[in-house]
Amino acid sequence: MSQTTTIDDWNKRYEEGGKRPWDTGLPDFHIEFMLEKLESALPDGAPKTLLEIGCGTGTNAVHLAKVLGPEWRVHGIDLAPKAIEMAKILAANENCENVSFASHNVLESDVLLDEKASVIYDKGCFHCFRNPEDREKFAELMHKSLISDGMWFSICGSYDDPPRTTGPPQMTIRELSVATE
């Protein structure tokens, strides 16, 4: 499948109001765990910048921007321009000024932000890459996008879970470690 088709396919999921099981309209429950670890894990003086990869319609990014407060800057990126359009509307409706959104193809990007992030939150983008070279490129870009001692939270489907025919792609711990080493 060509990259253009992939972008078109993702966009159609948002334009047609199609089934998007990852987009419930509620903040992901993993965020609370991440926030508990955040304060104690970041180095002193770290910039208060968070990047959400695969932000979709912006639910998590807007929630994070509101919870973290105005001293934080939250950036959301997604492959689908329609999702970004929807995210910008959500942020405006929520009067959330410390969040921004942009459409990026992470596999065709060398830089995601003008600055490095202290935290990267990824609810299901990394595990969508089935090709080992794509996973390695993605992991390298995450490393380049983080400050030294920054935090990358990535939610991946696990092969430890029972096999299934629907839901997020499952990734083994070996696939995860090979890509990130």
Side-chain angles (χ1 to χ4, degrees):
M1 181 181 293
S2 74
Q3 188 60 48
T4 303
T5 303
T6 302
I7 292 170
D8 289 346
D9 288 345
W10 282 110
N11 246 358
K12 284 180 187 174
R13 298 289 291 267
Y14 291 98
E15 289 173 345
E16 298 169 359
K19 186 176 179 185
R20 299 185 307 260
W22 63 88
D23 187 14
T24 65
L26 299 172
D28 180 58
F29 69 92
H30 296 101
I31 287 174
E32 293 310 313
F33 172 79
M34 180 184 72
L35 291 172
E36 287 173 13
K37 305 295 179 197
L38 200 60
E39 290 301 318
S40 62
L42 287 178
D44 289 337
K48 295 186 182 298
T49 305
L50 184 142
L51 172 62
E52 184 185 4
I53 305 291
C55 68
T57 58
T59 302
N60 292 322
V62 168
H63 174 73
L64 284 162
K66 290 169 81 173
V67 168
L68 291 169
E71 64 275 3
W72 276 80
R73 192 76 194 131
V74 176
H75 306 275
I77 64 171
D78 198 278
L79 179 64
K82 182 61 179 177
I84 294 301
E85 179 184 318
M86 295 166 76
K88 288 177 179 179
I89 291 169
L90 176 64
N93 288 344
E94 295 286 327
N95 296 315
C96 194
E97 296 180 5
N98 60 324
V99 65
S100 65
F101 296 99
S103 181
H104 279 292
N105 178 339
V106 294
L107 293 182
E108 294 179 2
S109 300
D110 292 324
V111 176
L112 297 176
L113 295 174
D114 293 336
E115 59 187 311
K116 290 190 176 202
S118 295
V119 180
I120 294 177
Y121 179 70
D122 166 20
K123 182 195 167 209
C125 188
F126 181 53
H127 70 193
C128 289
F129 300 112
R130 302 313 308 154
N131 178 316
E133 290 81 22
D134 290 345
R135 286 194 296 261
E136 288 175 25
K137 182 172 182 171
F138 182 86
E140 182 180 320
L141 184 59
M142 296 306 102
H143 176 76
K144 286 174 33 178
S145 300
L146 274 173
I147 63 166
S148 179
D149 295 328
M151 301 173 70
W152 172 19
F153 287 89
S154 188
I155 311 302
C156 296
S158 171
Y159 266 109
D160 291 338
D161 294 337
R164 59 180 185 258
T165 57
T166 62
Q170 292 174 292
M171 183 178 284
T172 66
I173 193 67
R174 178 171 172 72
E175 290 172 316
L176 181 64
S177 58
V178 164
T180 57
E181 287 295 317

